[in-house]
Every structure is written in C-alpha cells, then in structure tokens.
Amino acid sequence: MPKYYEDKEEDGRACSGVREDLRQCLLESPCVLQENKSPKQCLREGHCRSLQVTFFACKRSMVSVVCLLLLARMF
C-alpha cells in the first residue's frame, strides 16, 4: 500500500508518489540502517524491488504517452 498521501508537498514530477515510496523504502531498509550502505547500493542489490519495478513501469508509461502525442502531431 502506498504511503503517499495528498497532505504531502506537491512534487509535480511524473510518478512522484511511487518515487517517494521507493525512497522511503530504501531509507528504512535494513540494508541502509544496519549495514550502513547507500540507498543506491541497496537498490542495486535488489532491495525494494517491487517498488522499483512499479516506478520503472510508471516512467515507461509516461514515455509511451509522450510518443503517442508526438505521433499524433505528425499526422
């Protein structure tokens, strides 16, 4: 369940809710807290994988929409 709520500051970037959830997940992971590794390193090791996949899918869907809009303008 996402932890992103409407009372948080508006980000304005695409997929900001999932981005925030991924960030929080990494910062609260045992990899960062107990092993003192960087969030980037923990992400590479596969922590918070489901949120990483969700974030990637969200970003990819944004690219698809942009491509469709560009194609529509061409014809």
Side-chain angles (χ1 to χ4, degrees), residues 5-66:
Y5 298 105
E6 292 179 12
D7 61 337
K8 287 189 177 181
E9 190 175 311
E10 185 65 31
D11 189 341
R13 294 184 288 181
C15 310
S16 61
V18 180
R19 180 191 316 265
E20 178 67 23
D21 289 345
L22 178 58
R23 182 181 159 278
Q24 263 322 106
C25 179
L26 288 168
L27 291 176
E28 295 172 359
S29 71
C31 180
V32 171
L33 296 175
Q34 295 169 358
E35 299 175 25
N36 295 322
K37 294 180 182 177
S38 71
K40 188 174 186 176
Q41 188 175 2
C42 294
L43 189 62
R44 287 183 182 149
E45 292 178 3
H47 295 272
C48 304
R49 187 73 174 156
S50 62
L51 283 171
Q52 183 182 14
V53 169
T54 302
F55 182 65
F56 176 77
C58 181
K59 294 295 275 189
R60 184 176 50 194
S61 73
M62 297 305 296
V63 171
S64 297
V65 169
V66 170

